[in-house]
Amino acid sequence: GQNIDQPTEMTATEGAIVQINCTYQTSGFNGLFWYQQHAGEAPTFLSYNVLDGLEEKGRFSSFLSRSKGYSYLLLKELQMKDSASYLCAGSYGNNRLAFGKGNQVVVIP
Amino acid sequence: DAGITQSPRYKITETGRQVTLMCHQTWSHSYMFWYRQDLGHGLRLIYYSAAADITDKGEVPDGYVVSRSKTENFPLTLESATRSQTSVYFCASSGAGRRTYNEQFFGPGTRLTVL
């Protein structure tokens, strides 16, 4: 399968900025999704990148470099409700996604 | 109700029993997917379907069977449950239109325990 790599856990303070990195296999790659998953809940869609560059959506931004097989999700002005697992997923055709293991973000006061 | 639903939400069964997990979506999405989520592995694709009567294997299909006779339903059957199939199972669906992307929408999940 396609290897999607993410770090596993990070802790940050309320109001801070956090960057979550993701690397993926470039062969057959179409685009990169980011999902948020709160404990005990289903993943929910955050963003999609298909072109190189930064996509900004309120407090969340996502970056893609197709040549480097690299993406990051930037969370700004962290809030307690942002404590969740963040999943990156590569799209490789036929609407299939290959998910990373997720990065657990813990926000502390 | 609109959306994607799964049933049951929780299930406890015994080794060797057959179990069927149900998934229903009301968006008429072409694509449907079954994932399992385990600690240390993330979401892994079991089976997917591009349309009614079209199904294909994902990353971890062994021990599972799917069918899709209607667009809105995509049941997953464990033919003879094993302890290693204890997991949280998520169903998802996505469209296949002319949008730039088609994100997957996930159901609430089924927590399955095999004793």
Side-chain angles (χ1 to χ4, degrees), chain A residues 1 33 35 37 40-45 48 50 57 87 94-102, chain B residues 31 33 35 37 40-43 45 48 57-58 90 94-95 100-104 106-108:
Chain A
F33 287 87
Y35 280 80
Q37 186 178 24
E41 297 182 9
T44 55
F45 169 77
Y48 177 71
V50 63
K57 233 185 203 184
L87 316 177
N94 220 8
N95 277 27
R96 295 176 60 169
L97 299 180
F99 281 87
K101 294 178 183 177
Chain B
Y31 284 86
F33 308 84
Y35 295 90
Q37 188 173 39
H41 287 282
L43 281 164
L45 183 65
Y48 68 103
K57 295 178 180 178
F90 286 102
S94 69
T100 305
Y101 62 89
N102 290 289
E103 74 267 33
Q104 292 185 16
F106 284 80

Side-chain angles (χ1 to χ4, degrees), chain B residues 33 49 57 62 80 82 84 100-101 105-106:
Chain B
F33 308 84
S49 168
K57 295 178 180 178
D62 293 344
S80 177
T82 64
S84 65
T100 305
Y101 62 89
F105 297 88
F106 284 80

